Amino acid sequence: MDLKHTDAVATDAEREAVDGLLGPAPSGWDGGTTRNGEDLRWARGGASAAKDRRDQLLPALHAVNDRIGWISEGALGYICRRLTVAPAEAYGVATFYAMFSLRPRPAKVLHVCTDLACTARGSAEAAAGLTAGLGPAGTPAEGAVWQESPCLGLCERAPAALLIQAGEPSPTSAAPHRTAVIAPATPAALASAARCPADVPTEPPPEAAVPQAGHPDLVLLKRVGTTDPASLDDYRASGGYTALRRAFALGPAGVIREVLDAGLVGRGGAAFPTGRKWEATAAQPDTPHYLVCNADESEPGTFKDRVLMEGDPYALVEAMTVAGYATGARQGFVYLRGEYPRAYERLSHALAAARARGLLGPDILGQGYAFDIEIRRGAGAYICGEETAIFNSIEGQRGEPRSKPPFPVEKGLFGKPTAVNNVETLVNVLPILEHGAAAYAATGTGASTGTKLFCVSGQVTVPGVYELPFGASLRELLELAGPPRDLRAVLLGGAAGGFVRPDELDIPLTFEGTRAAGTTLGSGVVLVLDGSVELPRILLRIAGFFRDESCGQCVPCRVGTVRQEEALHRIMDRTGAAAADDIALMREVGQAMRDASICGLGQTAWNAVESAIDRLGVYQ
């Protein structure tokens, strides 16, 4: 693609897609088809205009990709003129995300998950069947193309696939494009979906992913399956917006004190105290403050946030309003996985309903507090789950992590104080305010209070999202899900986590308990593997995942993830002395990544492989 001198022109459909987002081009300098006398006398824009509009770059790329199925040179050029962005910079952003294509492709794209949970459940056979029926991945056939995909967050229905069909949006749906989930993804079902998406069965409701749905002891999942996720009235009838009213009664400082006293820590894996983060953000004199909900749960094996957003979207809207009030934010952003179309539709509907009822907007519940929420879709980049990479992505930059300090509470989104929390963390704030900090802290353990959502997948009888109090053992959780008779290993925390043996199932599921056992709770992934799974191939898939998802910004991660995968390829069928040299090399590379990588991706890329070698005796 020539980024400087090109005669390519956007088609009418491409221009319509961009103008539908940004509005009509105000002048010839902004991409208008003609220039009038005023345009010829002076030019608007420049560096200030580019800065003001840059954050619309990712939504504009989505608009074209959703409508056409790929982003042409002419479309990219039109976006650049509308936003005053240099073509080279826009190209760098567009090529950063796996869901975008800058080469022609059919409107129907079938994303077939080949990540850990799906690999354990036979995705290789599904991919082989597609290759035989439609041709190799990336080869257009019969008006569609299929490609291998990292985790789609559909692990409870593994093996799974997601069909995305570009075209004009439906007038009856908030979804930006037509989608269909194929699960289980058998070769016949995948081939049929690629040829005729209308034949795909209706996706099951969110409660199908919650085996405990309706149980009276549930806290975070209590409404999933019992309350209509589309009805604001149902949500309020089940106790919704009680927490926000108490927040207004307590005041911002009182809300933060309750969260601190409850002992709530982040549920994304880092376990940082939420109250301290909010307190630090609220104390910053620089304004405005922002709130970002990290809904880009891309850790392989994780799908709890998807279930919450699909099954109880108003809970997230209320929780974000509380968080915004406590931290002094007037604008919130939900950074949502691009692979979550139903969550996007449900959240969009919930936001519109909340605005219409005065629960978002300039004067919420007559309290004089103004707050609103905007959804920004990701486009297939695991690294954008890192809190500072989210900022760059929203701002229209490549989704690469920033160096810290300064920390987000000081300089985050748009260079302003920002609080970042994931969906599960935010939703935990509601029971804290509804029942009080003391009641919340009475559940769990001293260092891990409340309940935790666990994403159980792999070789179990009943996969799904389970909610248990902190302190329950791994054995108790697996008994609920139905473990296999020939249990080989359990991966805790996803690709960035670690393996445990069948004789270690009494590990308490707390942050401190897993840490003491030499593993991690992470985001709550519990991937169960039996004797039929070839562990060396699982490790190779983990290494391939980190190699693909490394943003390439820092050398330790960019080079280390490649060297790790190369070594695993070499020792795939070796054991003992034949593998010793490569294992020693991986230890050295792994330690370098852990010590010198700029963010958690490189720092944890060696964890699962290391634990498999040391705890499970793989390659011995």
Side-chain angles (χ1 to χ4, degrees):
M1 177 180 284
D2 188 331
L3 301 179
K4 199 171 215 180
H5 304 291
T6 176
D7 296 324
V9 176
T11 66
D12 289 343
E14 291 168 340
R15 293 173 66 93
E16 183 181 327
V18 176
D19 292 348
L21 172 75
L22 303 176
S27 75
W29 296 107
D30 300 285
T33 54
T34 60
R35 291 181 181 171
N36 57 32
E38 187 177 344
D39 291 340
L40 296 175
R41 285 194 296 273
W42 62 290
R44 302 173 180 83
S48 61
K51 184 177 180 181
D52 292 342
R53 303 170 183 169
R54 181 66 182 255
D55 72 294
Q56 292 298 311
L57 179 54
L58 185 57
L61 294 170
H62 266 301
V64 174
N65 199 69
D66 292 343
R67 180 69 64 87
I68 310 301
W70 67 288
I71 302 165
S72 71
E73 189 173 350
L76 189 65
Y78 183 64
I79 292 171
C80 291
R81 288 194 296 276
R82 289 301 316 271
L83 300 178
T84 320
V85 175
E89 293 188 18
Y91 180 84
V93 172
T95 54
F96 186 83
Y97 297 98
M99 294 184 72
F100 295 149
S101 174
L102 273 72
R103 298 177 181 274
R105 67 178 180 184
K108 289 185 292 187
V109 181
L110 185 61
H111 300 264
V112 180
C113 179
T114 57
D115 230 315
L116 304 181
C118 289
T119 293
R121 302 283 292 192
S123 64
E125 290 79 2
L130 271 179
T131 300
L134 296 178
T139 304
E142 301 183 32
V145 65
W146 75 277
Q147 61 188 47
E148 295 185 356
S149 170
C151 184
L152 294 170
L154 297 165
C155 314
E156 81 280 12
R157 285 179 270 165
L162 175 66
L163 178 68
I164 297 178
Q165 183 171 358
E168 294 188 11
S170 169
T172 61
S173 171
H177 43 219
R178 292 174 174 82
T179 61
V181 171
I182 302 95
T186 63
L190 291 174
S192 175
R195 294 186 180 100
C196 185
D199 291 341
V200 176
T202 302
E203 190 174 358
E207 59 266 28
V210 182
Q212 300 165 298
H215 195 283
D217 292 339
L218 295 180
V219 179
L220 306 180
L221 297 173
K222 64 181 181 181
R223 293 188 187 90
V224 179
T226 63
T227 303
D228 181 0
S231 173
L232 179 54
D233 289 333
D234 274 14
Y235 178 72
R236 298 185 77 166
S238 64
Y241 283 95
T242 302
L244 181 59
R245 291 184 183 279
R246 180 153 189 260
F248 284 139
L250 291 170
V255 172
I256 292 173
R257 173 51 53 193
E258 284 288 293
V259 174
L260 284 167
D261 291 347
L264 176 64
V265 298
R267 300 299 201 246
F272 189 84
T274 303
R276 284 177 54 193
K277 182 182 291 188
W278 288 13
E279 187 175 48
T281 306
Q284 297 300 315
D286 195 11
T287 57
H289 295 183
Y290 290 104
L291 172 71
V292 175
C293 171
N294 181 354
D296 191 58
E297 57 169 3
S298 302
E299 185 67 49
T302 312
F303 50 97
K304 58 186 175 60
D305 289 351
R306 188 203 91 225
V307 172
L308 284 172
M309 290 185 287
E310 292 179 350
D312 195 9
Y314 289 105
L316 179 59
V317 176
E318 181 185 4
M320 288 187 68
T321 309
V322 171
Y325 177 67
T327 58
R330 303 290 177 139
Q331 179 65 49
F333 291 90
V334 178
Y335 189 87
L336 178 65
R337 278 200 76 179
E339 297 91 341
Y340 283 179
R342 184 161 71 175
Y344 177 86
E345 190 170 2
R346 294 277 171 88
L347 278 176
S348 296
H349 175 83
L351 292 175
R355 289 190 195 101
R357 301 278 284 275
L359 298 168
L360 287 175
D363 185 17
I364 296 174
L365 292 176
Q367 297 292 318
Y369 173 57
F371 183 73
D372 210 340
I373 299 170
E374 182 179 344
I375 301 174
R376 292 294 179 93
R377 284 189 295 150
Y382 170 77
I383 190 62
C384 287
E386 198 276 339
E387 61 182 2
T388 62
I390 287 180
F391 303 154
N392 279 341
S393 184
I394 292 175
E395 292 176 17
Q397 311 288 341
R398 288 169 63 87
E400 296 173 344
R402 301 174 182 176
S403 296
K404 293 180 283 191
F407 294 99
V409 297
E410 303 165 302
K411 289 188 179 297
L413 185 64
F414 305 119
K416 300 297 183 180
T418 305
V420 185
N421 297 109
N422 72 0
V423 175
E424 185 186 356
T425 305
L426 287 165
V427 172
N428 265 278
V429 173
L430 303 183
I432 291 174
L433 293 179
E434 289 167 357
H435 305 295
Y440 180 90
T443 301
T445 66
S448 300
T449 60
T451 62
K452 179 76 183 79
L453 301 183
F454 296 96
C455 309
V456 184
S457 61
Q459 271 85 23
V460 293
T461 306
V462 190
V465 179
Y466 289 83
E467 181 176 0
L468 292 177
F470 275 114
S473 70
L474 178 57
R475 186 183 304 279
E476 292 176 84
L477 176 60
L478 293 189
E479 286 174 355
L480 290 175
R485 293 182 178 179
D486 57 339
L487 178 64
R488 176 69 175 90
V490 178
L491 178 61
L492 291 180
F499 289 95
V500 297
R501 301 185 304 271
D503 63 345
E504 297 178 299
L505 298 185
D506 292 318
I507 292 175
L509 294 174
T510 61
F511 292 110
E512 67 274 18
T514 52
R515 192 180 305 118
T519 183
T520 178
L521 201 59
S523 59
V525 174
V526 180
L527 176 64
V528 181
L529 304 174
D530 66 13
S532 69
V533 176
E534 298 179 51
L535 279 174
R537 297 201 177 277
I538 293 290
L539 299 184
L540 191 59
R541 180 65 191 95
I542 291 173
F545 170 81
F546 282 115
R547 180 212 63 207
D548 289 341
E549 299 297 339
S550 172
C551 74
Q553 181 180 196
C554 67
V555 173
C557 178
R558 182 177 70 239
V559 176
T561 53
V562 174
R563 295 292 172 263
Q564 177 174 264
E565 185 187 27
E566 290 173 345
L568 288 172
H569 270 293
R570 287 194 295 268
I571 63 174
M572 175 61 68
D573 299 313
R574 299 181 192 171
T575 57
D581 288 345
D582 279 308
I583 289 175
L585 173 64
M586 285 193 292
R587 291 189 189 280
E588 184 176 350
V589 169
Q591 193 60 49
M593 288 194 290
R594 187 173 289 160
D595 292 342
S597 294
I598 194 173
C599 80
L601 188 153
Q603 293 163 10
T604 60
W606 159 243
N607 285 3
V609 178
E610 179 185 37
S611 69
I613 293 171
D614 293 342
R615 298 178 87 114
L616 304 182
V618 180
Y619 306 118
Q620 290 182 3

